[in-house]
């Protein structure tokens, strides 16, 4: 009998609600037919037309493909490709530590796949997203899709007053969490790194591809003091915007706050923990990349069960 060892990898999955709004910004809904139409339009474009190139971040994104589920027409799978370019260091051998020049051009990057499954409903779409540091975030994906709404409208010589919005699934009550603080003394703001002033750029090595996309700003209350209620109300408003992925969050992507609870116990709050996350084991291909068919097979049952 011959035994075959299959390499596996743990993949983290994030969960989101996705809405659309139109001329009435207060009314959120989801137009399944339009969404499928948009995806089919993007997929039929050639590779250069599907490519979104962020020259400032030296990153590129593209819709690689989609598949409508044959057993449930409310389920659709999307696969995106992304890469970071302008970074081509030498290769190093794991066998003997030797190095050799790379043959990769500066305009090229290593293609990374991001998988997501969507359950399309009348009032919203529920998304299960493979979350990886080297892949695409939900923010990037929604921005990509929104950019093609205007392109589709132009191609059809019409107008579509739509925009996609997302929020974390499920959304917990931020107000109740903040109110559980009797004293808050430390606030950490995770912000997009382009907020760093010019005089700090060289010190922070901001343009190197090895530095993550965020910077952390730490605000501390004076010794034996705490943040005021007005200050915490502003934190609550910002945290609520981050959780709901609304424009009010601005450059801030995450908040972490520390202090004492109403029972005088140490307490902390992190907008990141509001996100529902699950991990699944997925088979790997011989080249170390995730096996798309196996991963999608494990994502679909998860999104089917969500409401």
């Amino acid at each position: 009998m011959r035994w075959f060892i299959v390499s596996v990898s743990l993949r983290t999955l994030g969960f989101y609600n996705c809405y659309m709004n139109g001329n009435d910004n207060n009314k959120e809904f989801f137009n399944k037919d339009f969404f499928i139409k948009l995806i089919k339009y993007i997929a039929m474009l050639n590779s250069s037309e599907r490519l979104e190139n962020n020259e400032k971040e030296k990153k590129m994104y593209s819709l690689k493909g989609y598949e409508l589920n044959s057993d449930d027409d409310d389920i659709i799978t999307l696969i995106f490709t992304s890469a970071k370019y302008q970074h081509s260091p030498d290769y190093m051998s794991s066998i003997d530590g030797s190095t050799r020049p790379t043959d990769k051009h500066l305009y090229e990057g290593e293609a990374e796949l991001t998988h997501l499954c969507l359950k399309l409903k009348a009032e919203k779409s529920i998304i299960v997203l493979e979350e990886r540091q080297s892949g695409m975030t939900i923010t990037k994906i929604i921005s990509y899709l929104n950019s093609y709404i205007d392109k589709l409208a132009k191609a059809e010589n019409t107008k579509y007053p739509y925009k996609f919005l997302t929020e974390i699934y499920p959304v917990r009550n931020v107000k109740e969490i903040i109110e559980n603080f009797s004293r808050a003394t430390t606030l950490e703001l995770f912000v997009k790194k382009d907020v760093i002033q010019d005089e700090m750029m060289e010190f922070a090595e901001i343009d190197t591809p090895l530095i993550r996309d965020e910077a952390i700003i730490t605000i501390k209350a004076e010794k034996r003091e705490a943040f005021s209620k007005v200050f915490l109300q502003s934190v609550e408003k910002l945290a609520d915007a981050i959780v709901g992925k609304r424009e009010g969050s601005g450059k801030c992507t995450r908040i972490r706050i520390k202090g004492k609870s109403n029972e005088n116990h140490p307490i902390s709050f992190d907008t990141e923990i509001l996100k529902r996350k699950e991990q699944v084991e997925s088979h790997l291909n011989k080249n170390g990349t995730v096996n798309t068919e196996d991963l999608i097979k494990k994502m679909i049952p998860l999104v089917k069960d969500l409401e």
Side-chain angles (χ1 to χ4, degrees):
M1 180 182 293
R2 299 179 64 184
W3 295 88
F4 295 92
I5 298 175
V6 179
S7 296
V8 298
S9 173
L10 273 180
R11 316 306 275 195
T12 299
L13 306 178
F15 297 75
Y16 301 89
N17 288 325
C18 178
Y19 302 95
M20 296 170 67
N21 67 4
N23 291 325
D24 182 1
N25 290 329
N26 295 319
K27 184 179 180 181
E28 295 175 340
F29 61 96
F30 198 85
N31 187 325
K32 173 184 172 181
D33 292 337
F34 175 80
F35 181 81
I36 293 175
K37 180 179 183 178
L38 177 67
I39 296 301
K40 287 182 175 180
Y41 164 74
I42 300 172
M44 76 172 190
L45 299 173
N46 62 46
S47 59
S48 62
E49 292 173 320
R50 293 197 310 271
L51 183 69
E52 288 279 294
N53 186 0
N54 188 325
E55 295 184 0
K56 184 177 180 181
E57 296 183 1
K58 302 295 186 291
K59 291 181 180 178
M60 48 188 166
Y61 315 96
S62 177
L63 177 67
K64 179 179 177 65
Y66 76 95
E67 184 176 358
L68 291 166
N69 189 273
S70 57
D71 298 324
D72 187 341
D73 61 6
D74 288 337
I75 305 294
I76 183 172
T77 300
L78 305 181
I79 304 174
F80 283 89
T81 307
S82 62
K84 192 172 181 71
Y85 59 94
Q86 207 71 18
H87 180 61
S88 300
D90 290 348
Y91 292 128
M92 183 174 179
S93 170
S94 63
I95 299 174
D96 59 14
S98 62
T99 60
R100 66 179 177 86
T102 178
D103 55 0
K104 186 173 71 173
H105 299 290
L106 285 174
Y107 58 81
E108 295 176 318
E110 295 180 350
E112 299 284 353
L113 297 184
T114 301
H115 303 81
L116 60 155
C117 292
L118 300 92
K119 181 177 183 178
L120 310 180
K121 299 162 62 74
E123 70 279 10
K124 66 178 180 179
S125 170
I126 304 172
I127 300 174
V128 176
L129 170 69
E130 175 196 15
E131 298 198 317
R132 303 171 58 227
Q133 198 166 12
S134 55
M136 286 179 71
T137 64
I138 190 66
T139 303
K140 294 292 185 186
I141 290 170
I142 293 302
S143 175
Y144 179 95
L145 295 176
N146 278 332
S147 71
Y148 279 89
I149 293 177
D150 289 340
K151 294 174 184 178
L152 172 61
K154 187 175 181 180
E156 296 183 344
N157 194 27
T158 187
K159 289 185 178 181
Y160 291 114
Y162 299 141
K163 182 180 180 182
F164 294 110
L165 308 166
T166 59
E167 66 181 12
I168 293 169
Y169 175 101
V171 178
R172 288 173 55 192
N173 193 318
V174 174
K175 181 179 176 63
E176 288 181 6
I177 297 173
I178 297 294
E179 285 179 348
N180 198 35
F181 279 83
S182 63
R183 298 178 73 250
T185 55
T186 303
L187 173 67
E188 292 178 328
L189 300 174
F190 292 70
V191 298
K192 296 175 184 176
K193 66 182 183 180
D194 58 8
V195 304
I196 297 178
Q197 297 299 313
D198 292 341
E199 59 267 23
M200 294 292 290
M201 285 290 198
E202 185 176 354
F203 175 76
E205 297 183 309
I206 212 70
D207 288 327
T208 74
L210 302 180
I211 301 297
R212 61 186 300 167
D213 291 335
E214 294 174 327
I216 303 175
I217 299 174
T218 302
I219 302 171
K220 293 187 175 182
E222 291 289 344
K223 196 172 183 179
R224 298 189 181 86
E225 297 294 331
F227 298 138
S228 68
K229 287 187 177 181
V230 174
F231 184 86
L232 288 180
Q233 286 172 354
S234 298
V235 172
E236 176 194 324
K237 185 177 179 181
L238 181 56
D240 206 36
I242 292 171
V243 171
K245 297 287 181 183
R246 294 192 294 277
E247 294 178 359
S249 61
K251 299 282 186 180
C252 191
T253 60
R254 177 181 173 188
I255 283 178
R256 190 159 56 202
I257 188 168
K258 301 175 184 178
K260 293 289 184 73
S261 70
N262 292 323
E263 292 77 32
N264 204 35
H265 296 147
I267 186 176
S268 65
F269 164 60
D270 189 334
T271 51
E272 193 72 7
I273 67 170
L274 293 180
K275 295 171 63 176
R276 173 178 172 177
K277 287 186 177 182
E278 292 195 22
Q279 288 188 318
V280 295
E281 276 192 349
S282 181
H283 295 165
L284 297 180
N285 300 316
K286 289 182 179 180
N287 64 356
T289 59
V290 70
N291 183 289
T292 292
E293 184 179 352
D294 183 63
L295 180 59
I296 294 298
K297 191 185 298 182
K298 291 167 180 174
M299 293 172 72
I300 288 177
L302 293 174
V303 77
K304 275 188 174 182
D305 290 340
L306 299 176
E307 293 297 337

